Amino acid sequence: MNKLILKPGREKSLKRRHPWIFSGAVARVTGEPVAGDTVEVHSASGEFIALAAYSPKSQIVARVWDWGKRDIDAGFFRERIRRAVQERDTFLDPSTTDAMRLIHGESDGLPGVVADRYADTIVMQLSSAGADRWREAIADALMEASGAKRVWERSDAEVRKLEGLPAALGPLRGQREPTRVVIKENGLTFHVDLEHGHKTGFYLDQRDNRRLVRALAGGRDVLDGFCYTGGFAVNAAAGGARSVMAVDSSGEALELARGNAGLNAVSDVSWVEGDVFLLLRKFRDERRAFDLVVLDPPKFAPTAAHVAKAARAYKDISLLAFKLLRPGGILVTFSCSGGVSAELFQKIIAGSALDAGVDAQIIRRLGAAADHPVALNFPEGEYLKGLVCRIAA
Ligand code: SAH
């Protein structure tokens, strides 16, 4: 068996069941493992620690499959995927929601594997050499555990490059068509574009937060910044908003968003193609006012190295948003940057309110929906943070 032997003391994080092994922790490799092979991880003193997938090109040189000695084979994936899929069944009502994350990577014991269910289609995204090696077994196990009709692959995330893997896209099980599917989320209906949508197609992690926005929107003038395919905007309109304006820089996303408004018979949304940073300034100068602003920007800080720049961007947009709010208005603001902690995000928003000259309270803290669990041994799994702030009336 191929082995990774760690430097003295470098088994500590693994003993706390953190599933990543960084290249700097490895003293030597025995045998001749290639990318994707399963290796045994041993401490410097020779103790068995874990079975992991080897990825020599990545700084994360191995990711743990299991903490005990067992076969890593198709049966392993069948078992782990069945467990994860069964757990999802317990908290979502299939009559109103048929789209959910089935596999959430490390937090489901499957590093590098993400799988989202969109009605009868599963979109699978593999992002590590180990996951890539087991593509066929994972696709079979997903079909079997979920009862879905097809598996579509969207392994085109940037991180694959760090693992030395090419992009892999398209149908893996079942038919190619249609490439656009219709899903239900909290009783509303949305199109998901399998080929061109972001990530696997839809931001399922925002499901509960969209419902909250629906509940808050009644009678309000709503601005949805970074609307993508209209998740928040359509919910706000369905919740009886007085007006909804939704902004995104992607014309393609807005085309789908318009279709989504149509599917739900909410025609009164104004869709604006533009840059939120510029538009918020323009609205400030024009003294436009709203009662509810949602800001769900892309990841400004993918890693800790980008934090300072990301903090300025979050501050910029939330400060402008506070200025656009009428007394009693609500800001719902998110960060999906792994590099920005919840504590830092709150500080940024507090600084924005101060500089905008408004008094604000946090009335809710938001995170990703329950089908995006965070394993306690893997805090990196927590990325989405949201704050609902109300400014004084
Ligand atoms: N709120 C959405 C998800 C937003 S994803 C939902 O619930 O589904 C982030 C979006 O920001 C993407 O659609 C991207 O096109 C858009 N975007 C990125 N930079 C932007 C900018 N400067 N101005 C406007 N939109 C931007």
Side-chain angles (χ1 to χ4, degrees), residues 171-193:
L172 262 187
R173 298 287 181 278
Q175 291 177 342
R176 180 176 188 87
E177 304 295 334
T179 59
R180 243 180 217 191
V181 296
V182 175
I183 61 156
K184 280 182 294 188
E185 182 185 87
N186 292 325
L188 296 176
T189 311
F190 295 92
H191 285 297
V192 177
D193 184 332

Side-chain angles (χ1 to χ4, degrees), residues 81-242:
I81 287 171
R82 191 193 304 124
R83 188 180 71 195
V85 170
Q86 274 169 359
E87 282 162 0
R88 267 62 179 182
D89 287 344
T90 55
F91 55 79
L92 282 169
D93 174 1
S95 69
T96 53
T97 298
D98 64 3
M100 70 207 72
R101 176 146 298 190
L102 298 179
I103 311 289
H104 191 46
E106 279 78 352
S107 293
D108 279 311
L110 290 164
V113 184
V114 160
D116 288 337
R117 176 175 202 137
Y118 296 118
D120 282 332
T121 302
I122 289 176
V123 179
M124 171 179 107
Q125 185 161 71
L126 307 178
S127 57
S128 65
D132 203 73
R133 164 67 63 89
W134 292 99
R135 167 177 289 103
E136 302 301 326
I138 293 168
D140 285 338
L142 283 168
M143 286 290 278
E144 188 185 302
S146 68
K149 294 208 174 85
R150 54 188 189 144
V151 176
W152 186 282
E153 182 164 12
R154 271 299 298 274
S155 300
D156 55 348
E158 278 295 304
V159 291
R160 277 177 72 91
K161 291 185 185 152
L162 303 177
E163 303 264 328
L165 299 167
L169 302 170
L172 262 187
R173 298 287 181 278
Q175 291 177 342
R176 180 176 188 87
E177 304 295 334
T179 59
R180 243 180 217 191
V181 296
V182 175
I183 61 156
K184 280 182 294 188
E185 182 185 87
N186 292 325
L188 296 176
T189 311
F190 295 92
H191 285 297
V192 177
D193 184 332
L194 304 180
E195 282 186 300
H196 309 292
H198 293 176
K199 300 199 176 178
T200 68
F202 199 68
Y203 291 89
L204 294 167
D205 50 358
Q206 291 285 26
R207 183 190 310 110
D208 298 349
N209 304 331
R210 292 193 189 109
R211 187 165 51 190
L212 176 70
V213 163
R214 198 193 312 177
L216 291 172
R220 294 178 184 259
D221 291 319
V222 179
L223 175 64
D224 177 9
F226 310 94
C227 69
Y228 185 49
T229 56
F232 284 104
V234 169
N235 271 276
R242 183 162 54 196

Side-chain angles (χ1 to χ4, degrees), residues 11-19 67 376-378:
E11 69 283 7
K12 282 205 188 95
S13 69
L14 290 160
K15 287 257 166 118
R16 288 193 300 269
R17 300 214 155 189
H18 189 279
W67 305 100
L376 282 169
N377 56 329
F378 187 66

Side-chain angles (χ1 to χ4, degrees), residues 260-378:
N260 287 335
L263 278 179
N264 295 285
V266 294
S267 52
D268 44 351
V269 180
S270 93
W271 303 102
V272 178
E273 186 172 337
D275 181 334
V276 170
F277 289 83
L278 299 178
L279 211 68
L280 290 175
R281 285 194 163 67
K282 181 165 166 275
F283 288 170
R284 177 200 57 194
D285 296 344
E286 294 170 359
R287 302 192 178 279
R288 295 277 289 260
F290 297 88
D291 308 295
L292 175 62
V293 176
V294 179
L295 295 175
D296 182 22
K299 213 190 292 180
F300 291 143
T303 69
H306 306 85
V307 169
K309 195 162 159 244
R312 283 195 294 278
Y314 290 122
K315 174 148 186 201
D316 190 29
I317 52 175
S318 53
L319 193 161
L320 288 162
F322 275 130
K323 287 198 169 175
L324 297 181
L325 284 170
R326 296 194 181 104
I330 292 178
L331 172 65
V332 183
T333 184
F334 296 98
S335 160
C336 58
S337 295
V340 174
S341 67
E343 197 188 353
L344 174 59
F345 189 55
Q346 182 173 329
K347 271 193 193 146
I348 295 167
I349 304 307
S352 304
L354 192 68
D355 290 2
V358 298
D359 267 332
Q361 306 164 307
I362 296 170
I363 55 173
R364 282 286 276 279
R365 291 171 197 281
L366 307 176
D371 47 340
H372 298 62
V374 180
L376 282 169
N377 56 329
F378 187 66

